[in-house]
Amino acid sequence: MSENTQSPRKPRVAVVFGGRSSEHAISVVTAGAVLRAIDRDKYDVLPIGITTDGRWALTADAPERMAIAERSLPNVSDLAESDRGGVVLSVDPANREVVYAEPGAVPKALGDVDVVFPVLHGPYGEDGTLQGLLELSGVPYVGAGVLASAVGQDKEYMKRVFTSFGLPVGPYEVIRPREWDQNPAAARKKIVEFAAEHGWPLFVKPARGGSSMGITKVDDLSGLDEAIEEARRHDPKILVESLLRGREIECGVLEFEDGPRASVPAEIPPVTDHDFYDFEAKYIDSASGIVPAPIGDEATAEVQRLAVAAYEAVSCEGLVRADFFLTEDGDFVINEINTMPGFTPISMYPRMWQESGVSYPELVDRLIQAALTRSTGLR
């Protein structure tokens, strides 16, 4: 008589998306693309959406409902199976079971989770907060750890780390919340003095934002206060940067078995209908980058070297998109890194790796496999 044998259980991937930041909708779009790409023969998938008020919701596994449609942005609340129920992840490292509970109902066990693929952008997800929760829970996850995520989100400290490692950064100034709240005239004077030294126009942006939200190009003093208020709508701490004249170049970094490697770079061409490469240019009007960037072999090798150096400087894991300016003098200046770059269908990170020989499904699979082989905790 033959024995009954059970096939081994497929690893279970929880794709966590949405969140409380102003980048909520882009996270939903990214999640749709990732869900579409995950090999369902290889992995079980559990989509978990975080609403804008912070509720963890069990959502439909419906990538087709997660796209930008007719300039309308998707939202987790529209995908949630209930407007009251919540998903709970245990903080006991010995228990990876996920539970779904509704008020007045018996909690429902959803099974164990082997790895989390967090595709949240901005505060409360990309900034080390979610990563800290997952470390406490003992659940492996895709992407950077607590420190790298926090540094990668805060543009001030990111630049400070880059500088300490000898990476080239452009001029910047920081206005902290207390400075503006207690003495806005002194804070404004600080920016004006910065402009006197480095020239107008300036870019005023949230220090811990992303997706180009809250950024204003300021041509003179008359537009400064409005730009500051717009940035502070997203983050009470703001960053002021001088205009760097040059070409915008991006480069992806991906973790392989032998360490991080850089993709072919991409160039973001000047956008004619926008002042700069802002949110609408990126996600609504589908501005297309040039992949690979036509910058020559020597410059390509240099930006790839700098991208990996930035990845290593911040102690990143899994992936990074590094953004640079190639100045008129032929030098690269690093603008920022993204520890969880967009994975939307038009996002540059997957496009650069596609051109480098790594398809979208393979890219997603590599990230999941890398996370499964890493332990949580100190490493």
Side-chain angles (χ1 to χ4, degrees), residues 38-353:
I38 291 179
D39 185 349
R40 303 309 177 94
D41 292 330
K42 192 171 181 178
Y43 304 104
D44 283 329
V45 178
L46 177 66
I48 299 174
I50 302 177
T51 63
T52 53
D53 60 2
R55 179 173 63 93
W56 288 46
L58 193 61
T59 67
D61 186 1
E64 69 281 357
R65 294 171 55 194
M66 300 181 182
I68 297 174
E70 298 179 351
R71 304 179 79 87
S72 177
L73 300 175
N75 192 290
V76 166
S77 295
D78 297 330
L79 299 161
E81 295 191 356
S82 165
D83 60 2
R84 300 191 306 154
V87 174
V88 179
L89 180 67
S90 171
V91 292
D92 177 2
N95 177 15
R96 293 183 179 177
E97 187 172 69
V98 174
V99 174
Y100 176 74
E102 291 195 13
V106 176
K108 174 184 175 184
L110 300 178
D112 289 355
V113 165
D114 297 291
V115 63
V116 169
F117 199 133
V119 292
L120 295 106
H121 303 306
Y124 312 111
E126 191 182 351
D127 60 349
T129 50
L130 177 64
Q131 289 74 16
L133 172 63
L134 296 173
E135 292 286 351
L136 289 173
S137 302
V139 180
Y141 53 93
V142 169
V146 175
L147 174 66
S149 296
V151 172
Q153 186 65 37
D154 191 312
K155 294 178 176 63
E156 176 195 357
Y157 288 100
M158 180 198 308
K159 291 175 186 292
R160 290 184 182 275
V161 170
F162 289 157
T163 300
S164 72
F165 277 83
L167 295 169
V169 303
Y172 69 94
E173 188 60 85
V174 178
I175 303 296
R176 302 180 186 280
R178 189 177 296 131
E179 288 182 83
W180 186 256
D181 292 338
Q182 294 185 351
N183 195 340
R188 191 183 298 108
K189 182 173 182 287
K190 186 175 171 182
I191 298 174
V192 172
E193 289 174 349
F194 177 82
E197 181 179 358
H198 299 287
W200 300 91
L202 303 176
F203 287 93
V204 179
K205 60 178 66 175
R208 294 162 291 195
S211 294
S212 296
M213 287 186 167
I215 300 178
T216 306
K217 182 183 177 185
V218 183
D219 293 313
D220 53 46
L221 190 59
S222 65
L224 183 58
D225 281 7
E226 185 178 350
I228 291 171
E229 290 305 323
E230 171 60 18
R232 281 172 54 84
R233 217 165 50 80
H234 298 268
D235 184 350
K237 175 181 171 181
I238 66 170
L239 192 78
V240 179
E241 295 175 334
S242 62
L243 173 67
L244 289 174
R245 301 189 185 280
R247 299 161 69 181
E248 291 189 50
I249 307 296
E250 299 184 349
C251 190
V253 179
L254 178 64
E255 184 178 329
F256 284 76
E257 291 78 8
D258 60 350
R261 301 181 198 170
S263 70
V264 300
E267 179 172 7
I268 307 301
V271 286
T272 56
D273 297 332
H274 302 265
D275 250 1
F276 58 97
Y277 195 44
D278 62 6
F279 177 84
E280 290 223 347
K282 282 183 178 178
Y283 299 110
I284 305 296
D285 294 339
S286 304
S288 57
I290 303 168
V291 188
I295 57 176
D297 293 344
E298 186 176 338
T300 293
E302 176 64 3
V303 77
Q304 289 174 326
R305 182 190 72 80
L306 289 170
V308 172
Y311 177 99
E312 298 279 30
V314 183
S315 298
C316 292
E317 294 169 293
L319 72 164
V320 145
R321 193 194 73 231
D323 300 346
F324 298 85
F325 290 103
L326 177 55
T327 70
E328 296 170 341
D329 295 330
D331 298 321
F332 282 105
V333 175
I334 186 164
N335 184 37
E336 65 180 42
I337 59 169
N338 279 263
T339 56
M340 185 50 69
F343 274 77
T344 69
I346 62 171
S347 293
M348 297 311 301
Y349 186 84
R351 287 186 58 196
M352 288 186 287
W353 279 108

